Amino acid sequence: MNSIVDIPADEASKVVKKHLVLNSHSRDSLDSDRNGNGGPSNAHGGHHDGSGPSEEVDYTTAFKLPGGAITRDVYKWQADQENEQNRRARSRSFHLPRPIEPSVSALKQPGGMRRYHMIMKAEAHGRQANVFTKSFIDFLAMYGHFAGEDLDDEEGGDFVRADYDEEDGQGEGSGTGSGSSRTESTPLIPKPPQGDATPAKAVFLLLKSFVGTGIMFLPKAFNNGGILFSSIFLVVIAAISLFSFLLLVESRQVVPASFGDIGGHLYGPYMRHSILWAIAISQIGFVCAYMSFVATNLEALAKNVLDSTDMYPSYFFVVVQLIVFIPLALIRNIARLSFTAVVADIFICFGLIYMYYFDTFTLITNGLSDIKLFNPKDFALFIGTAVFTFEGIGLIIPITESMKEPEKFPKVLTGVMIGITVLFTSLGAMSYAAFGSKTETVVLLNLPQKSHWVQTVQGLYSIAIMLSIPLQLFPAIRIMENGLFTRSGKYNMLVKWQKNFFRILSLFVCAAVAIWAGEDLDKFVSIVGSVACIPLAYIFPAMLHYKTHPNKKSRIFDALLFTFGCVTMIYTTGNTLYEWMEG
């Protein structure tokens, strides 16, 4: 063997094989490759049946020969070398160029590991897994990927849609295919799935993410800023918000990750934590504002329908909401909340249509009320409320991921922002023009309270917001749970009930804040917009884009946006706190 000591093992195996007595079809296949004629090896007269090198080579033939026990080790070594070559050939059935590996980047996406599991399970049954949703109801899983974060709670299942039963693997197409359909040429890792959302579906999802309770606070915000200033500045806020949202989309094209992970990659873990906590604080602020909004409407309904408001203090109408919220907060699979979102959308649309009708009727009947073009005293409250109203950056990344053609998203987002700006400006200006200085923080209270139509609108809109609160709370709860709990409660009841207690405690904290802020709800909304929404909407996207696009022109705009965000946050927060304390 000294003469072949420097020969590579695979070549040495071929040399040794020439001197062995063979009767295996798989061995002849290698001889065919060596001879280059695609046929059987003439050296041994063996027959080749087309079997590939994927067959396992057996070395036990040596025992059938005279002196087989002596030559056994030689046969075994050669068979091991050939089998190793076969295994290497199989491992090369899937190849990705380096250093960029799309499969790895896909696995890093929210729910990536779970999606691959579902894809491979579906392909084992001869069908393509449908991991992206076909309807808006299923797409509520976006809240599980809020801001691109993987907030999926494994204790409650997953959000991945499939047309087969995950437990038994049966479903459509399972009868026509099986795991045997996977061959040696099948890639070991499937091709990453692509979103299938059309631009029309993306428009619908964006409208859902932007239109909510904030629009009902705008008439009072117009009263704080003045109708001319508020109308102009609301358009300015919308344009700046659109610019900032597009900066985030561009940053994600360079660093394909979640909002927080982009910050962590570019600036370190402190930036990631800052972004996540800003998201959590903003969502909790929304929940507190929503609970106060609902309590105000319930109190009005109790006064005008039941004539029983004197029997209960104001905080009662906040606490009573916990009866609904606690069971919903314990739901871990957010897809089960889909029915609440559909009902909420219908009720919100009904409320907006009625507001337009009544504003138009009031203006035609009574004309303009006492309005100001600019309110120098309280205009800062308008800025915070305007940012609060346009805050929808948490769903920008998930909606972008969902689109079949993500390159169309900027045009879609621009169109939606123009549309909702017209909606917000018109409703805010019309309601303020109709009610003037008497505009309530919750504009529904300006409607005739004894009217059955008004009572219906108040009731339906309150139900809509109540059903939206669990969706708003879910991202904040999951972010805080991920930071506080290191173990899963799926198989540990103690950990699971610790998380349940934490969720219930969080709701009580939100209720306490809602009670405290109830008398000055417009100021509280402005504080939430200033402290949490401005960094998310303006400061963080500018910082991320500054790092991902290091050209001079874009960095100038990034610096201007960053400066605008910081100055606005400091000024509006300070001014609102001063007025709150003075009041």
Side-chain angles (χ1 to χ4, degrees), residues 21-57:
V21 178
L22 305 174
N23 63 0
S24 169
H25 295 167
S26 63
R27 295 184 180 209
D28 290 339
S29 67
L30 285 182
D31 287 340
S32 300
D33 294 338
R34 182 179 66 245
N35 295 336
N37 55 13
S41 172
N42 297 328
H44 302 288
H47 175 71
H48 182 248
D49 62 356
S51 300
S54 60
E55 297 181 11
E56 192 75 11
V57 178

Side-chain angles (χ1 to χ4, degrees), residues 339-390:
F339 75 96
T340 68
V342 174
V343 174
D345 289 343
I346 296 173
F347 290 172
I348 288 174
C349 289
F350 181 77
L352 293 178
I353 292 172
Y354 187 82
M355 280 301 306
Y356 268 111
Y357 158 76
F358 191 82
D359 287 344
T360 303
F361 175 79
T362 303
L363 288 172
I364 293 174
T365 304
N366 303 328
L368 287 175
S369 185
D370 56 327
I371 61 174
K372 294 181 179 180
L373 297 180
F374 176 65
N375 186 350
K377 180 182 177 182
D378 300 324
F379 75 93
L381 294 176
F382 170 80
I383 299 174
T385 305
V387 177
F388 178 96
T389 304
F390 279 107

Side-chain angles (χ1 to χ4, degrees), residues 286-299:
F286 296 155
V287 170
C288 296
Y290 287 7
M291 293 179 75
S292 184
F293 172 90
V294 172
T296 302
N297 283 280
L298 292 180
E299 187 175 4

Side-chain angles (χ1 to χ4, degrees), residues 5-27:
V5 67
D6 294 327
I7 300 177
D10 55 343
E11 295 296 329
S13 171
K14 294 178 181 180
V15 173
V16 172
K17 185 176 180 180
K18 294 180 180 180
H19 304 280
L20 302 181
V21 178
L22 305 174
N23 63 0
S24 169
H25 295 167
S26 63
R27 295 184 180 209

Side-chain angles (χ1 to χ4, degrees), residues 19 70 172 314 351 360 403 473 478 517 569:
H19 304 280
I70 299 175
E172 298 178 16
S314 298
T360 303
M403 292 193 67
L473 186 63
R478 290 297 300 134
M569 180 182 68

